[in-house]
Amino acid sequence: MIQDDRKNHLFIQDLRVLFKEISLFWKSVMVIIFAITLVLGFAVGSVKFADWYRKEIFQWIQYIMAHISALVPISVGEIMIYIGITMIVLLVVAIVVGCFSNPVCKRIRKYYIRIVVCVLLYVYASETFNCFILYRGETLEKQFIRLDAEYEMITLESLKNLHQKTVKKLNQLSGEFKRDSDGSILMMKSGNEEYQKECKEALRNLSDEFPLLKGYYPDVKMIQSSSFMTQQYLLGIYFPFSMEANYNEKAYITNLPATFCHELSHMKGYILEDEANFLAYLACIRSENTFMQYSGYLSVIRYIERDLLPYLSEEEKVEMVWENKKVLMDDIFVKREVFEEIEKNALFSTDFISEATDIFLDTNLKLNGISEGVVSYSQVVKLILLYEQLD
C-alpha cells in the first residue's frame, strides 16, 4: 500500500515537471481547448443551458460578427476557406523545411505550426459557439408538442390536405409572373436587392412567435464558386466561422427567397435544417410579395409529395389536383443549360462531388445529435402539420 502511494506521488511529480517544461503557448492552447470543450459538454448535457446560451449569448456573438463580416462585400468565409486550403499545403512545406538542420528552417517550422494551431483553434471555437451548441437547444418540434400539437393528428388526410392546398396555391401563383420566350420567369435587375430586404422583414415578422428571429440581418452573400456549389447540389450555406449566409448564384431564381430566409434563419440560431426550411416556408408564404409566396410553396412541395405518394392508390392520384406545367418548369434547381455548361468545364464529376458532400453533411448532422442525417431536411413537413394544429 505504501509502495502504491509512493508510485502515485512520483507519477504526479513527473506530470508537474512535464507540465513546467511545456511552453506558455501550448499551455494556453490546452486551457482554451479544455474551456471550449467544457462549455460544449454543458450544452450536450443540458437543453436548458443550450437554450439560455442561444438566447442570451449567441445573439450578441451573431450581432457583432455579422456586422464585421458585412463590412466586406464578398463572402469572407469563402476567402477563409481558400486561405485554409493554402495553409494546409504550406504546412507540408514547413514540415519538410523543418527537417533541415539549419536553425532558421527549424524556426520557420516552429512558428508556422503555431500559426496553423491558432487557426484551428479559431475554427474549433467558432464552430462550437456558432454551430455545435445550437444543435442542443429545444427543437421547434418539441415546442409545438409542448403547446398541445399532437403526433396523432398527423394523418394521411392531413397530409393530402396540405398537398392540395400547396398545389392550388402554386398553380394560382404561377400565372402572375413575366416570362421570357422559353417560359422562364424574368427578374428585374433590382430583384435580388429587393428580395433581400423582403426576406429580412418577413423573418422579423415571425419574431413574436419565434423570438430568435428579431434584430439585425446582414445581406446574404453570393458565393464566387457557385459552379462548384452547384455540383454539390447546394442552394445556400451558412459559415459559422465568418457569421455569413451565402447563396448559389447559379440557382434558378424561384429558389432565392426561400434560400435567403433559410440561411438567415441559421444565422439567428435555428441551426436544424428542417427548422430553417420551416421558417423559410412560413416567412415566404406570409409575405405580401407573390414571388416570395411562390418560392415558399415551391420549397416544400417535393418534400410533401415524397411523404405522400407511397400511400396513394392510382385512383386517388387521378382524383387529386397536381402541379401545372409552369410550376413544374419553375420547380428546378438550376436551368439545364447552366448545369450542362458547369459539367463541361468541371475538374471533377458532379456525381463524385455531390456524393462526397452528402457524406460530409450526413456525418456532420449525426455527430451533432441529428440521427436522421440529411433525411432531416424533409422533416419540415412534420413541422408544418404540427404547427397548423396550433392555429
Side-chain angles (χ1 to χ4, degrees):
M1 194 66 160
I2 295 173
Q3 274 190 327
D4 288 342
D5 289 343
R6 189 171 298 166
K7 284 181 180 178
N8 290 336
H9 181 70
L10 289 173
F11 178 70
I12 292 170
Q13 278 189 324
D14 289 341
L15 285 178
R16 286 175 178 170
V17 171
L18 182 63
F19 190 72
K20 284 181 180 179
E21 291 178 354
I22 298 173
S23 69
L24 179 61
F25 172 81
W26 290 107
K27 285 179 184 176
S28 301
V29 168
M30 288 189 288
V31 169
I32 293 170
I33 289 174
F34 176 77
I36 295 171
T37 306
L38 186 64
V39 175
L40 179 58
F42 282 136
V44 171
S46 171
V47 173
K48 287 184 177 180
F49 174 80
D51 280 339
W52 172 83
Y53 171 84
R54 188 164 61 164
K55 293 172 185 175
E56 304 298 335
I57 306 299
F58 174 72
Q59 292 300 296
W60 288 105
I61 295 175
Q62 183 268 337
Y63 181 83
I64 295 168
M65 288 187 67
H67 271 86
I68 294 172
S69 62
L71 296 173
V72 183
I74 60 176
S75 176
V76 176
E78 186 176 13
I79 296 171
M80 291 170 77
I81 290 172
Y82 294 147
I83 292 173
I85 293 171
T86 303
M87 289 187 73
I88 291 171
V89 174
L90 292 177
L91 177 62
V92 176
V93 175
I95 291 171
V96 172
V97 167
C99 293
F100 296 108
S101 57
N102 189 308
V104 175
C105 292
K106 291 184 179 297
R107 196 174 296 116
I108 289 172
R109 179 180 65 177
K110 173 185 175 181
Y111 287 107
Y112 188 73
I113 288 175
R114 290 188 176 197
I115 291 170
V116 172
V117 168
C118 288
V119 170
L120 292 175
L121 201 58
Y122 174 77
V123 171
Y124 180 47
S126 60
E127 289 286 336
T128 298
F129 295 123
N130 299 342
C131 186
F132 298 155
I133 293 176
L134 306 181
Y135 278 105
R136 302 298 171 170
E138 184 182 37
T139 64
L140 288 182
E141 180 181 349
K142 289 183 179 178
Q143 289 179 35
F144 295 162
I145 294 297
R146 183 161 47 78
L147 294 172
D148 294 332
E150 299 178 8
Y151 292 117
E152 291 76 13
M153 298 294 289
I154 299 178
T155 62
L156 179 58
E157 196 60 34
S158 66
L159 188 56
K160 285 170 67 176
N161 290 338
L162 176 62
H163 177 263
Q164 289 297 273
K165 180 182 72 174
T166 305
V167 169
K168 288 175 183 177
K169 289 296 294 184
L170 285 170
N171 288 346
Q172 173 195 335
L173 291 166
S174 65
E176 298 194 15
F177 314 112
K178 292 182 179 180
R179 297 175 182 267
D180 63 18
S181 57
D182 295 326
S184 298
I185 293 176
L186 293 171
M187 179 185 277
M188 296 172 59
K189 288 184 179 179
S190 61
N192 191 311
E193 183 179 344
E194 175 190 341
Y195 292 122
Q196 292 262 11
K197 293 178 181 177
E198 297 235 9
C199 287
K200 296 173 191 178
E201 194 58 35
L203 287 168
R204 287 193 194 99
N205 289 339
L206 299 180
S207 61
D208 286 343
E209 294 177 85
F210 308 98
L212 297 181
L213 294 176
K214 63 184 178 182
Y216 170 74
Y217 290 90
D219 284 344
V220 184
K221 295 181 179 180
M222 182 191 76
I223 288 288
Q224 298 297 320
S225 302
S226 286
S227 294
F228 182 67
M229 201 172 176
T230 302
Q231 289 188 281
Q232 296 174 288
Y233 290 96
L234 293 177
L235 288 166
I237 189 166
Y238 159 63
F239 288 147
F241 41 86
S242 61
M243 195 53 68
E244 290 173 305
N246 306 267
Y247 73 95
N248 179 352
E249 67 136 349
K250 302 292 185 183
Y252 186 56
I253 58 174
T254 53
N255 296 291
L256 293 185
T259 299
F260 291 164
C261 290
H262 178 109
E263 301 307 330
L264 290 172
S265 296
H266 283 327
M267 284 191 65
K268 284 297 185 177
Y270 292 101
I271 201 68
L272 300 181
E273 297 299 339
D274 57 338
E275 294 186 357
N277 278 343
F278 168 75
L279 293 169
Y281 161 80
L282 200 61
C284 285
I285 68 169
R286 287 189 178 179
S287 169
E288 294 181 2
N289 186 296
T290 53
F291 187 68
M292 283 189 62
Q293 293 173 24
Y294 194 49
S295 179
Y297 286 116
L298 280 173
S299 71
V300 299
I301 185 62
R302 290 295 157 245
Y303 293 130
I304 296 170
E305 291 185 350
R306 187 182 303 172
D307 287 352
L308 178 63
L309 287 176
Y311 300 100
L312 293 180
S313 65
E314 292 303 317
E315 293 78 11
E316 287 175 311
K317 291 177 184 178
V318 171
E319 293 174 358
M320 295 176 69
V321 179
W322 297 92
E323 301 93 283
N324 62 32
K325 289 183 179 179
K326 287 180 180 178
V327 173
L328 294 175
M329 183 183 298
D330 295 332
D331 187 21
I332 57 173
F333 173 44
V334 295
K335 289 184 177 182
R336 183 173 61 184
E337 59 268 27
V338 173
F339 192 81
E340 287 174 352
E341 184 67 22
I342 291 171
E343 278 277 79
K344 187 168 65 176
N345 299 313
L347 292 175
F348 302 99
S349 73
T350 297
D351 287 343
F352 170 76
I353 292 173
S354 63
E355 185 176 348
T357 302
D358 283 345
I359 292 171
F360 171 77
L361 291 174
D362 192 65
T363 303
N364 179 61
L365 288 167
K366 287 178 177 176
L367 286 174
N368 281 288
I370 312 303
S371 58
E372 300 92 347
V374 292
V375 178
S376 65
Y377 282 75
S378 65
Q379 298 298 311
V380 62
V381 179
K382 179 167 61 178
L383 288 179
I384 294 171
L385 292 171
L386 286 171
Y387 179 75
E388 287 186 345
Q389 296 176 35
L390 305 179
D391 290 344

